[in-house]
Amino acid sequence: MFSNLRRVVRRSYRRAVDLSHPARSPLGSAVVNCIVYRDGVRQEDCAEVEEALRRVRKTGDGFVWIGLHEPARSELAGLAELFGLHPLAVEDAVNAHQRPKVERYDDTLFSVFKTVRYVEHEELTATSEVVETGELMAFTGQDFIITIRHGGRGTLGPVREELEAAPDQLANGPAAVLHAMADHVVDDYVAVTDAVQNDIDAVETAVFSEAGGRGDAGRIYQLKRELLELRRAVAPLSRPLQQLATQPIPVIPPETRAYFRNVADHLTRATEQIGAYDNLLDSILQAHLAQVTVAQNEDMRKITAWAAIVAVPTMVCGVYGMNFDHMPELHWTYGYPLVLGVMALACFVIHRGFRRNGWL
């Protein structure tokens, strides 16, 4: 099956192809780029992955970096056979929706990172999307690295440019690319976490302002949901980074582990910050609910006070509405204005008493 695929692919290699254009890539529509590096210097774009890998392994120097975007199973099958990728890891790479993890299959390391992006918005509402997530995966071997991106976030263009500007670091091989990916992902975590703080500050200001509305609970709950999505992306990565920083892994040189420890420190900062934000939102929510309760109590006191005031004329009118013949001052000329005056005076005295006690 793979030999037939190779013949088809080789025929397409006879003409020059722009590998950066997915629609015209001979390696499949999912391929973003394929580049060979030697001694940290970019050598050539891959016209044929099998030939590029053969040359790298023949000289024993350099590595191949292949970038994919949301590949289908058929598109990844040829590369899986060529590089000896484990079927379980290939299935995870195709299906996506994986937790951050690092798994070792013989001499190949399969890594999964969750990417995040802060969604800009003019005003936080009860339905605002704050955090958008994606996935970034990597197959890392001694002389190759295959990166797979799912979602619109997590492009490795800036990472590639930074690495190519630092050939000494890129000379460490695929492990250097894996570290740069992890560092890029964690830097995004820190940036998104800092951006979320602005939304938390806005909600906190609205809750504790004099004109704080009762509709802030929806915004708080939405922010907590988005913060939970961010935590699900960030927190599980701690253990995989500890593995890369401490455990002896063939594809990770000892001198590279210190760089992963640095990334793990940054991840710890982001995780702790997210936890602090979640606790702060809990406090803001409790304060908001307490304010709502106090406001409802004040409303009930006002309603009760006005009901007591209205009860006085209602009672007097009810007595005089019983139509008995022998009632006080029933036929007196000034009886009607006298009763109105008594009702007004009683209402005034009760109103003044409620005002004095803070009910009105």
Side-chain angles (χ1 to χ4, degrees), residues 32 68-71 93-97 113-117 132-137 148-156:
V32 178
L68 307 175
H69 180 250
E70 297 183 353
V94 173
N95 295 333
H97 303 295
F113 305 95
K114 282 284 189 180
T115 59
V116 298
R117 182 179 72 89
E132 179 185 350
T133 61
E135 290 185 44
L136 191 60
M137 306 175 181
I148 302 171
R149 178 166 58 93
H150 289 271
R153 183 61 179 166
T155 176
L156 294 177

Side-chain angles (χ1 to χ4, degrees), residues 5 22 35 41 59-60 76 81 85 92 123 147 157 164 210 212 218 232-233 262 286 290 295 313 324 347-348:
L5 176 63
I35 302 173
V41 179
T59 60
L76 196 55
E81 185 173 348
L85 307 180
D92 288 345
E123 183 180 1
T147 57
E164 291 180 353
E210 294 182 358
R232 287 174 178 170
N262 182 60
Q286 293 299 323
F324 291 114
C347 291
F348 174 77

Side-chain angles (χ1 to χ4, degrees), residues 225-285:
R225 284 195 295 267
E226 294 296 309
L227 202 62
L228 177 61
E229 184 176 359
L230 180 59
R231 172 178 281 179
R232 287 174 178 170
V234 175
L237 186 58
S238 177
R239 184 175 179 181
L241 284 181
Q242 290 298 329
Q243 290 180 259
L244 295 173
T246 59
Q247 296 184 6
I249 301 175
V251 298
I252 306 296
E255 60 271 15
T256 309
R257 295 176 193 165
Y259 293 97
F260 283 106
R261 285 197 296 269
N262 182 60
V263 177
D265 291 340
H266 293 170
L267 180 69
T268 301
R269 173 201 162 189
T271 304
E272 292 176 349
Q273 202 167 0
I274 292 172
Y277 289 165
D278 191 52
N279 293 334
L280 179 58
L281 281 176
D282 286 337
S283 301
I284 295 174
L285 181 60

